[in-house]
Amino acid sequence: MDDMYLSISTLISLVAVAVIVIALAKTAQIVPQRSAFIIERLGRYSRTLDAGFHILIPFVDRVAYRHTLKEEALDVPKQQCITKDNIAVSVDGVLYLQVIDPQSASYGITDYRFASMSLAQTTLRSIIGQIELDRTFEERSRLNEEVVSALDDAAQPWGVKVMRYEIADIVMPGTITDALEQQMRAERERRAVVARSEGERQEKINISEGQKIQVINLSEAEKEKQINEAEGKAREIQMLAEATAIGIERIAAAIQKPGGKDAVSLRIAEQYVREFGRIAQSGTTLILPAELSNIGAAVAGLAKTLQTVDAAETRRP
């Protein structure tokens, strides 16, 4: 009997210790950094606990919700979207949000994460349905901004701030991908042909310009050459004329000296005989001048002609 009373008292003691331990555990609450706990007192909202150590009333206060105040990244599942030109594409993305008001996040909606992802999907389907396929790739930034704007307005009553949304991938049907690849290949070939033709055109222009410059340079060189040759010939003629004039002046001066006319007559006779002998050696037929029998008379006639010219030069004013 005593043993039974001992066992009951021991059990009661253990229960009391357990109750005390549980009461102490519920009384002391440590909230981590960048976290917030929602406290309910007898089933009603009481207060929001920030980071630090807090004391609660056991069995009266309880932690109803625990929220992190850090920015969260939620993977939005892949979904089928129909573009304006009736092309089905698969789109998935990543949603970044942050709890701003823990109380609204607790009582404003049941699950703000699920609601945000669902709203992101429906908003994205609506936006993609308003644009064509080509623009879905060109305007990713605009799509992201429009999704963020729509979600942020809707998430304000939930105490959640939508930071940004990023489209991770856009997958098109295989037939559309093949068609786009063929289109891109044709465009690249067209650009290559255009670039090649432009290169050939520029090459021909460069060659023609080079030939033009070459012809101009050659003509300029030929012109300079002809000018130089003409100037050289003119100078040569001028120098010969000056030399001839000087020689004639000297001969005329020598003739005026004593014995000069006799020397001229002798010189004429020598030239006459020399040229006649040359003519005689050049062929079998010989034509003799009428004055050959009297060379002296011929020389005298030439001397007389010289005197006549000299007299005319003397009388000239």
Side-chain angles (χ1 to χ4, degrees):
M1 199 66 177
D2 293 335
D3 292 338
M4 185 178 63
Y5 287 140
L6 181 61
S7 300
I8 294 174
S9 60
T10 303
L11 181 61
I12 294 173
S13 301
L14 292 176
V15 171
V17 171
V19 170
I20 293 172
V21 170
I22 294 173
L24 291 175
K26 289 183 175 293
T27 300
Q29 286 291 334
I30 298 176
V31 181
Q33 183 68 26
R34 299 290 294 170
S35 298
F37 288 1
I38 301 299
I39 304 301
E40 290 183 353
R41 177 168 292 177
L42 300 178
R44 298 183 62 181
Y45 170 76
S46 175
R47 62 188 183 277
T48 301
L49 301 183
D50 298 327
F53 179 78
H54 302 274
I55 300 297
L56 304 179
I57 300 176
F59 306 107
V60 176
D61 295 337
R62 75 181 186 92
V63 178
Y65 299 96
R66 289 178 170 84
H67 296 287
T68 177
L69 302 182
K70 300 177 183 179
E71 185 174 339
E72 300 179 62
L74 305 179
D75 186 13
V76 180
K78 184 178 294 185
Q79 61 174 333
Q80 291 288 332
C81 300
I82 306 299
T83 63
K84 186 177 180 180
D85 47 356
N86 296 323
I87 304 298
V89 293
S90 298
V91 184
D92 61 344
V94 180
L95 179 65
Y96 298 85
L97 50 82
Q98 184 179 9
V99 174
I100 303 298
D101 186 357
Q103 181 181 355
S104 298
S106 301
Y107 301 104
I109 192 170
T110 303
D111 188 349
Y112 67 86
R113 294 183 179 87
F114 174 76
S116 299
M117 289 189 296
S118 300
L119 185 58
Q121 288 181 317
T122 56
T123 303
L124 186 62
R125 282 199 300 267
S126 176
I127 296 173
I128 289 181
Q130 299 174 6
I131 61 177
E132 297 178 352
L133 178 63
D134 295 339
R135 295 177 57 193
T136 57
F137 297 94
E138 299 173 0
E139 302 185 4
R140 279 196 180 188
S141 299
R142 188 178 69 85
L143 295 177
N144 295 335
E145 293 175 359
E146 292 186 5
V147 171
V148 170
S149 178
L151 286 178
D152 197 33
D153 293 339
Q156 285 183 359
W158 307 339
V160 176
K161 174 68 175 177
V162 178
M163 310 303 291
R164 58 190 180 276
Y165 177 80
E166 298 291 340
I167 295 177
D169 193 13
I170 300 177
V171 180
M172 298 178 297
T175 55
I176 301 299
T177 304
D178 294 339
L180 290 178
E181 289 180 354
Q182 293 177 3
Q183 181 180 357
M184 294 175 60
R185 190 182 305 112
E187 181 65 19
R188 286 195 297 268
E189 292 176 355
R190 184 188 68 82
R191 292 180 181 178
V193 171
V194 171
R196 191 183 308 111
S197 63
E198 287 292 334
E200 293 176 354
R201 173 176 172 272
Q202 190 63 39
E203 179 184 4
K204 292 179 180 178
I205 291 175
N206 293 338
I207 293 175
S208 63
E209 289 291 336
Q211 293 176 349
K212 176 183 176 182
I213 295 174
Q214 181 182 7
V215 171
I216 292 174
N217 292 337
L218 291 176
S219 63
E220 290 291 337
E222 185 65 22
K223 175 183 175 182
E224 293 293 333
K225 176 183 177 182
Q226 294 177 359
I227 291 174
N228 293 336
E229 290 180 352
E231 290 178 352
K233 290 181 180 179
R235 183 62 179 168
E236 180 183 1
I237 293 172
Q238 182 181 359
M239 294 178 65
L240 288 175
E242 291 177 355
T244 302
I246 293 173
I248 292 174
E249 289 178 357
R250 290 181 179 178
I251 292 173
I255 291 174
Q256 298 300 326
K257 293 180 180 180
K261 296 180 180 180
D262 295 335
V264 171
S265 299
L266 178 60
R267 184 65 176 173
I268 292 172
E270 290 178 354
Q271 291 291 333
Y272 184 87
V273 173
R274 184 181 300 110
E275 294 299 327
F276 182 77
R278 186 178 301 161
I279 293 172
Q281 294 177 359
S282 62
T284 57
T285 303
L286 182 60
I287 301 175
L288 297 177
E291 297 85 1
L292 183 60
S293 59
N294 191 359
I295 297 177
V299 173
L302 293 174
K304 184 177 180 181
T305 302
L306 181 61
Q307 291 176 0
T308 303
V309 173
D310 186 29
E313 291 291 335
T314 303
R315 290 193 300 270
R316 183 177 299 174

